[in-house]
Amino acid sequence: MINSLFSFVPMVTKMLPDDYVGFTFFVGCMAMMAASAFFFLSMNHYDKKWRTSILVSGLITFIAAVHYWYMRDYWAEIGESPTFFRYVDWVLTVPLMCVEFFLILKVAGAKRSLMWRLIILSIIMLVTGYFGEAVYRDQAQIWGLISGIAYFAIVYDIWLGSAKKLADTAGGAVLKAHKMLCWFVLVGWAIYPIGYMAGTPGWYDGIFGGLNLDVVYNIGDAINKIGFGLVVYNLAVVSSTQKEG
Ligand SMILES: *C/C=C(C)/C=C/C=C(C)/C=C/C1=C(C)CCCC1(C)C
């Protein structure tokens, strides 16, 4: 009775000093919140044409902050990997990262078809990953492979395909920002398959079995979501000051 009356009072659970999963959920949550405040508050300070790009940076970290809030609780209460919330978060934020490519390449005439192609590839990558991690765990290797092919299609498009051609046309600060985002996708996003291999059964057990899936994913999220946003933010800063000077 008392308990349900006071159910609005936040629950606090003990965190053990060697609970790296709990710790990275906690710090990740704070980092995502701080990054969101930063992006939202600075979105109006630069050239108007970058406003939507910085807004999307803030939305990515904000959506992640809310999911981290839940995942932190889920882990503390239930002590299991919050796979469902994790993939819901990704299915919302990764397509938004694809939108960022489109937004910065718009100055070079990027078409919506580029945006949709990247979005659809990212959704294939995530849905097949979810199948392997949560639904058909004994076939994790196959689903991981299909997911990896979609991932490489994204890498190809932005590094060598149509997105790269648009970035070349744009040149200058846009080309530089595009290159940085490409590096994030090639190196930063490659952290995720490592987490996947650490958390699912397969030929790779002997290599990545010692790592914790959630710790790897949490590190990947902090690097990629905040890093991506900062690249876009930096593009707005650089190209707004260039104009004045
Ligand atoms: C903010 C969240 C991001 C940037 C998440 C990215 C996730 C991936 C690039 C996941 C990729 C995967 C593979 C390439 C194969 C194994 C399954 C996944 C879904 C972990």
Side-chain angles (χ1 to χ4, degrees):
M1 177 61 185
I2 294 287
N3 232 351
S4 64
L5 264 179
F6 290 92
S7 61
F8 59 87
V9 177
M11 288 274 297
V12 177
T13 29
K14 187 175 171 131
M15 195 183 298
L16 298 169
D18 62 348
D19 180 3
Y20 300 109
V21 175
F23 174 74
T24 51
F25 273 131
F26 196 90
V27 176
C29 189
M30 288 300 159
M32 297 295 180
M33 287 196 219
S36 310
F38 176 78
F39 293 131
F40 288 147
L41 289 171
S42 51
M43 60 182 266
N44 291 320
H45 292 183
Y46 302 98
D47 197 308
K48 234 173 108 183
K49 70 170 184 255
W50 302 117
R51 197 175 286 171
T52 315
S53 309
I54 304 181
L55 172 66
V56 172
S57 292
L59 289 176
I60 291 169
T61 51
F62 181 72
I63 292 169
V66 176
H67 283 88
Y68 267 72
W69 183 269
Y70 278 95
M71 292 196 288
R72 189 187 53 90
D73 267 356
Y74 188 98
W75 173 258
E77 287 290 316
I78 300 168
E80 279 171 21
S81 186
T83 312
F84 178 76
F85 289 117
R86 172 83 70 191
Y87 276 84
V88 174
D89 173 19
W90 287 355
V91 124
L92 297 171
T93 53
V94 177
L96 282 175
M97 294 169 102
C98 297
V99 171
E100 292 281 37
F101 277 100
F102 166 72
L103 288 175
I104 72 166
L105 294 175
K106 243 167 59 176
V107 289
K111 299 213 177 65
R112 266 164 209 276
S113 56
L114 165 77
M115 179 181 83
W116 285 114
R117 191 167 59 245
L118 293 178
I119 288 178
I120 288 167
L121 284 170
S122 72
I123 291 175
I124 294 174
M125 173 181 85
L126 296 171
V127 169
T128 51
Y130 184 76
F131 282 164
E133 197 174 314
V135 188
Y136 309 108
R137 280 183 67 83
D138 44 349
Q139 300 162 12
Q141 303 178 95
I142 302 287
W143 291 107
L145 180 68
I146 301 170
S147 174
I149 292 168
Y151 168 54
F152 275 112
I154 297 172
V155 168
Y156 177 84
D157 207 331
I158 57 174
W159 274 92
L160 305 161
S162 53
K164 163 72 168 134
K165 292 196 187 78
L166 287 166
D168 285 335
T169 313
V174 171
L175 177 59
K176 266 196 197 146
H178 177 83
K179 265 217 181 102
M180 272 305 287
L181 294 184
C182 284
W183 277 109
F184 269 101
V185 172
L186 183 68
V187 181
W189 288 20
I191 295 171
Y192 296 95
I194 296 175
Y196 180 89
M197 289 189 275
T200 58
W203 58 268
Y204 36 73
D205 282 350
I207 310 170
F208 299 110
L211 292 170
N212 179 282
L213 162 144
D214 281 299
V215 172
V216 175
Y217 285 167
N218 290 352
I219 292 171
D221 278 356
I223 293 174
N224 287 297
K225 290 186 167 65
I226 299 172
F228 232 71
L230 287 174
V231 171
V232 172
Y233 169 80
N234 186 56
L235 170 62
V237 175
V238 171
S239 67
S240 300
T241 47
Q242 267 170 358
K243 209 163 252 167
E244 285 159 22

